[in-house]
Amino acid sequence: MLITPHFLTGLAIAKGIPEAAPAAIAAVSSHFVLDAVPHRDTIGGHHLNTANILLVAGDGLLALGLWWWLIPESIRWYALTLGLAANAPDFIEIPGLFWPKWNAIPLMKQFHVWHTDVLQYAREPRGWFIGLLPQGLLVGGLIYLLAH
Ligand SMILES: [Zn+2]
């Protein structure tokens, strides 16, 4: 999934769970639950291209803007940490974009296959409408939840 739905899920966990350890476990676990929902999150496949870089930049800025707008100052940095934790499984994959051997390292190889081919078997190719619908509904619901 895109950064924003994962990130807002981490923010909602921060709002509901004040204990750091269970909240961090919930945030990282939430990533895999959301990735299993059919979705679309790249333009032209899973590699570096201008469109994907712009998508990630815009998506990341949207996530940070919503964080700043929706999270009270008292838990702002705790929520940011959990938002990042909810995206951590994707951060682990970043070196593989620049250095393909990253995905051949023991444990990383198994993680990569599970995180992409197994868990997200239904992510591409699909149209943007169907690909964004579950993510849009999730983001809308989470904005509502976080704003109240
Ligand atoms: Zn992922």
Side-chain angles (χ1 to χ4, degrees):
M1 276 199 177
L2 293 163
I3 296 166
T4 300
H6 286 305
F7 194 82
L8 292 187
T9 302
L11 300 185
I13 289 167
K15 202 173 172 188
I17 306 177
E19 300 85 9
I25 292 167
V28 174
S29 303
S30 77
H31 186 96
F32 301 113
V33 174
L34 296 187
D35 267 357
V37 175
H39 61 271
R40 178 170 180 175
D41 57 7
T42 62
I43 301 169
H46 292 264
H47 53 263
L48 286 177
N49 61 32
T50 307
N52 276 331
I53 291 168
L54 291 173
L55 177 66
V56 167
D59 186 19
L61 286 173
L62 176 65
L64 289 175
L66 290 169
W67 161 70
W68 196 260
W69 176 46
L70 294 167
I71 299 301
E73 213 175 320
S74 59
I75 62 163
R76 181 161 286 158
W77 301 105
Y78 177 64
L80 176 71
T81 305
L82 289 171
L84 293 173
N87 278 283
D90 284 345
F91 295 151
I92 293 168
E93 299 270 8
I94 290 173
L97 293 171
F98 303 96
W99 184 52
K101 282 186 179 174
W102 175 256
N103 295 327
I105 294 172
L107 292 180
M108 192 56 223
K109 180 179 181 178
Q110 287 81 357
F111 175 79
H112 177 69
V113 169
W114 181 68
H115 182 209
T116 56
D117 299 342
V118 177
L119 197 62
Q120 302 182 81
Y121 70 96
R123 71 178 166 178
E124 315 267 354
R126 65 181 59 245
W128 279 107
F129 178 75
I130 292 297
L132 285 179
L133 186 63
Q135 299 182 91
L137 292 172
L138 183 66
V139 166
L142 285 165
I143 288 172
Y144 179 83
L145 187 79
L146 288 165
H148 290 84

Coordinates of all heavy atoms in Angstrom, one line a residue, residues 27-68:
A27 N 1.9 -1.6 15.3 CA 2.1 -0.8 14.1 C 2.8 -1.6 13.0 O 2.4 -1.5 11.8 CB 3.0 0.4 14.5
V28 N 3.8 -2.4 13.4 CA 4.5 -3.2 12.4 C 3.6 -4.2 11.8 O 3.6 -4.5 10.6 CB 5.8 -3.8 12.9 CG1 6.5 -4.7 12.0 CG2 6.8 -2.7 13.3
S29 N 2.9 -4.9 12.7 CA 1.9 -5.9 12.3 C 0.9 -5.4 11.3 O 0.4 -6.1 10.4 CB 1.2 -6.6 13.5 OG 2.2 -7.1 14.4
S30 N 0.4 -4.2 11.6 CA -0.6 -3.6 10.8 C -0.2 -3.5 9.3 O -1.0 -3.5 8.4 CB -1.0 -2.2 11.3 OG -0.1 -1.2 11.0
H31 N 1.1 -3.3 9.1 CA 1.6 -3.2 7.7 C 1.3 -4.4 6.9 O 0.8 -4.3 5.8 CB 3.2 -3.0 7.8 CG 3.7 -2.7 6.4 ND1 4.0 -1.4 6.0 CD2 4.0 -3.5 5.4 CE1 4.4 -1.5 4.7 NE2 4.5 -2.7 4.3
F32 N 1.5 -5.5 7.5 CA 1.3 -6.8 6.7 C -0.2 -7.0 6.5 O -0.6 -7.5 5.4 CB 1.9 -8.0 7.4 CG 3.4 -7.7 7.6 CD1 3.9 -7.6 8.9 CD2 4.3 -7.6 6.5 CE1 5.3 -7.3 9.0 CE2 5.6 -7.4 6.7 CZ 6.1 -7.2 7.9
V33 N -1.1 -6.7 7.5 CA -2.5 -6.8 7.3 C -3.0 -5.9 6.1 O -3.7 -6.4 5.2 CB -3.3 -6.4 8.6 CG1 -4.8 -6.4 8.4 CG2 -2.9 -7.4 9.7
L34 N -2.5 -4.7 6.1 CA -2.9 -3.8 5.0 C -2.4 -4.2 3.7 O -3.1 -4.0 2.6 CB -2.5 -2.3 5.3 CG -3.2 -1.7 6.6 CD1 -2.8 -0.2 6.7 CD2 -4.7 -1.8 6.6
D35 N -1.1 -4.6 3.6 CA -0.6 -5.0 2.4 C -1.3 -6.2 1.7 O -1.3 -6.4 0.5 CB 0.9 -5.4 2.5 CG 1.8 -4.2 2.2 OD1 1.3 -3.1 1.9 OD2 3.1 -4.4 2.4
A36 N -2.0 -7.0 2.6 CA -2.7 -8.2 2.1 C -4.0 -7.8 1.3 O -4.6 -8.6 0.6 CB -3.0 -9.2 3.2
V37 N -4.4 -6.5 1.6 CA -5.6 -6.0 0.9 C -5.2 -5.7 -0.6 O -4.2 -5.0 -0.8 CB -6.2 -4.8 1.6 CG1 -7.4 -4.2 0.8 CG2 -6.6 -5.1 3.0
P38 N -5.9 -6.2 -1.6 CA -5.6 -5.8 -3.0 C -5.5 -4.3 -3.2 O -6.3 -3.5 -2.7 CB -6.7 -6.4 -3.8 CG -7.2 -7.5 -3.0 CD -7.1 -7.1 -1.5
H39 N -4.4 -3.8 -3.8 CA -4.2 -2.4 -4.0 C -3.2 -2.1 -5.1 O -2.6 -3.1 -5.7 CB -3.6 -1.8 -2.7 CG -2.3 -2.4 -2.3 ND1 -2.2 -3.6 -1.5 CD2 -1.0 -2.1 -2.6 CE1 -0.9 -3.9 -1.4 NE2 -0.2 -3.0 -2.0
R40 N -3.1 -0.9 -5.4 CA -2.0 -0.5 -6.4 C -1.2 0.7 -5.8 O -1.8 1.6 -5.2 CB -2.7 0.0 -7.7 CG -1.7 0.5 -8.7 CD -2.3 0.7 -10.1 NE -1.2 1.2 -10.9 CZ -1.3 1.4 -12.2 NH1 -2.4 1.2 -12.8 NH2 -0.2 1.8 -12.9
D41 N 0.1 0.6 -5.9 CA 0.9 1.6 -5.2 C 2.2 2.0 -6.0 O 3.1 2.6 -5.5 CB 1.3 1.2 -3.8 CG 2.0 -0.1 -3.7 OD1 2.3 -0.7 -4.8 OD2 2.2 -0.6 -2.6
T42 N 2.2 1.6 -7.3 CA 3.4 2.1 -8.1 C 2.9 2.5 -9.5 O 1.8 2.1 -9.9 CB 4.4 0.9 -8.3 OG1 3.8 -0.1 -9.0 CG2 5.0 0.5 -7.0
I43 N 3.7 3.2 -10.2 CA 3.4 3.6 -11.6 C 4.5 2.9 -12.5 O 5.7 3.2 -12.4 CB 3.5 5.1 -11.8 CG1 2.5 5.8 -10.8 CG2 3.2 5.5 -13.2 CD1 2.6 7.3 -10.7
G44 N 4.0 2.0 -13.3 CA 5.0 1.3 -14.2 C 5.8 0.2 -13.5 O 6.9 -0.1 -14.1
G45 N 5.4 -0.3 -12.4 CA 6.1 -1.4 -11.8 C 7.0 -1.0 -10.6 O 7.0 0.2 -10.3
H46 N 7.6 -2.0 -10.0 CA 8.3 -1.7 -8.8 C 9.8 -1.5 -9.0 O 10.7 -2.3 -8.8 CB 8.2 -2.9 -7.8 CG 6.8 -3.0 -7.3 ND1 6.4 -2.5 -6.1 CD2 5.7 -3.5 -7.9 CE1 5.1 -2.7 -6.0 NE2 4.6 -3.4 -7.1
H47 N 10.1 -0.3 -9.6 CA 11.5 0.1 -9.8 C 11.5 1.6 -9.7 O 10.5 2.3 -9.7 CB 12.0 -0.4 -11.1 CG 11.2 -0.1 -12.3 ND1 10.2 -1.0 -12.8 CD2 11.0 1.0 -13.0 CE1 9.6 -0.4 -13.8 NE2 10.1 0.8 -14.0
L48 N 12.7 2.2 -9.7 CA 12.9 3.6 -9.6 C 12.6 4.2 -11.0 O 13.2 3.8 -12.0 CB 14.3 4.0 -9.2 CG 14.7 3.8 -7.8 CD1 16.2 4.1 -7.6 CD2 13.8 4.6 -6.9
N49 N 11.6 5.1 -11.1 CA 11.4 5.9 -12.3 C 10.9 7.2 -11.8 O 10.5 7.4 -10.6 CB 10.5 5.2 -13.3 CG 9.1 4.9 -12.7 OD1 8.6 5.7 -11.9 ND2 8.5 3.9 -13.2
T50 N 10.8 8.2 -12.6 CA 10.4 9.6 -12.2 C 9.0 9.6 -11.6 O 8.8 10.2 -10.5 CB 10.5 10.5 -13.4 OG1 11.8 10.4 -14.0 CG2 10.2 12.0 -13.0
A51 N 8.1 8.8 -12.2 CA 6.7 8.8 -11.8 C 6.6 8.2 -10.3 O 5.9 8.7 -9.5 CB 5.8 8.0 -12.7
N52 N 7.4 7.1 -10.1 CA 7.3 6.5 -8.8 C 8.0 7.4 -7.7 O 7.5 7.5 -6.6 CB 8.0 5.1 -8.8 CG 7.1 4.0 -9.3 OD1 5.9 4.1 -9.1 ND2 7.7 3.0 -9.9
I53 N 9.1 8.1 -8.1 CA 9.7 9.0 -7.1 C 8.8 10.1 -6.8 O 8.6 10.5 -5.6 CB 11.0 9.5 -7.7 CG1 12.1 8.4 -7.8 CG2 11.6 10.7 -6.9 CD1 13.3 8.7 -8.6
L54 N 8.1 10.7 -7.8 CA 7.1 11.8 -7.5 C 5.9 11.3 -6.7 O 5.4 11.9 -5.8 CB 6.6 12.4 -8.8 CG 7.6 13.2 -9.6 CD1 7.1 13.6 -11.0 CD2 8.1 14.4 -8.8
L55 N 5.5 10.0 -7.0 CA 4.4 9.4 -6.2 C 4.8 9.3 -4.7 O 4.0 9.7 -3.8 CB 4.0 8.0 -6.8 CG 2.9 7.3 -6.1 CD1 1.6 8.0 -6.1 CD2 2.8 5.8 -6.6
V56 N 6.0 8.7 -4.5 CA 6.5 8.5 -3.1 C 6.6 9.9 -2.4 O 6.2 10.1 -1.2 CB 7.8 7.7 -3.1 CG1 8.4 7.8 -1.7 CG2 7.5 6.3 -3.5
A57 N 7.2 10.9 -3.1 CA 7.4 12.2 -2.5 C 6.0 12.8 -2.1 O 5.9 13.3 -1.0 CB 8.1 13.1 -3.5
G58 N 5.1 12.8 -3.1 CA 3.7 13.4 -2.8 C 3.0 12.6 -1.7 O 2.4 13.2 -0.8
D59 N 3.1 11.3 -1.7 CA 2.5 10.4 -0.7 C 3.1 10.7 0.6 O 2.4 10.8 1.7 CB 2.7 9.0 -1.2 CG 2.0 8.0 -0.3 OD1 1.0 8.3 0.4 OD2 2.3 6.8 -0.4
G60 N 4.4 10.8 0.7 CA 5.1 11.1 2.0 C 4.7 12.4 2.5 O 4.5 12.6 3.7
L61 N 4.7 13.4 1.7 CA 4.3 14.8 2.1 C 2.9 14.8 2.6 O 2.6 15.5 3.6 CB 4.5 15.8 1.0 CG 6.0 16.2 0.7 CD1 6.0 17.1 -0.5 CD2 6.6 16.9 1.9
L62 N 2.0 14.1 1.9 CA 0.6 14.0 2.4 C 0.5 13.4 3.8 O -0.2 13.9 4.7 CB -0.2 13.2 1.4 CG -1.7 12.9 1.8 CD1 -2.5 14.2 1.8 CD2 -2.3 11.9 0.8
A63 N 1.3 12.3 4.0 CA 1.3 11.6 5.3 C 1.8 12.6 6.4 O 1.1 12.7 7.4 CB 2.1 10.4 5.2
L64 N 2.8 13.3 6.1 CA 3.4 14.2 7.1 C 2.4 15.4 7.4 O 2.3 15.8 8.5 CB 4.8 14.7 6.7 CG 5.9 13.6 6.7 CD1 7.2 14.2 6.2 CD2 6.1 13.1 8.2
G65 N 1.8 15.9 6.3 CA 0.9 17.0 6.5 C -0.3 16.5 7.3 O -0.8 17.3 8.2
L66 N -0.8 15.3 7.1 CA -2.0 14.8 7.9 C -1.5 14.6 9.4 O -2.3 14.9 10.3 CB -2.5 13.5 7.3 CG -3.3 13.7 6.0 CD1 -3.5 12.4 5.3 CD2 -4.6 14.5 6.2
W67 N -0.3 14.1 9.5 CA 0.2 13.9 10.9 C 0.3 15.3 11.6 O -0.2 15.4 12.8 CB 1.7 13.3 10.8 CG 2.5 13.5 12.0 CD1 2.3 12.9 13.2 CD2 3.7 14.3 12.1 NE1 3.3 13.3 14.1 CE2 4.2 14.1 13.5 CE3 4.4 15.2 11.3 CZ2 5.3 14.8 13.9 CZ3 5.5 15.8 11.7 CH2 5.9 15.6 13.0
W68 N 0.8 16.3 11.0 CA 0.9 17.6 11.6 C -0.5 18.2 12.0 O -0.7 18.8 13.0 CB 1.7 18.6 10.8 CG 2.1 19.8 11.5 CD1 1.6 21.0 11.5 CD2 3.3 19.8 12.4 NE1 2.3 21.9 12.3 CE2 3.3 21.2 12.8 CE3 4.2 18.9 12.8 CZ2 4.3 21.6 13.7 CZ3 5.2 19.3 13.7 CH2 5.2 20.7 14.2

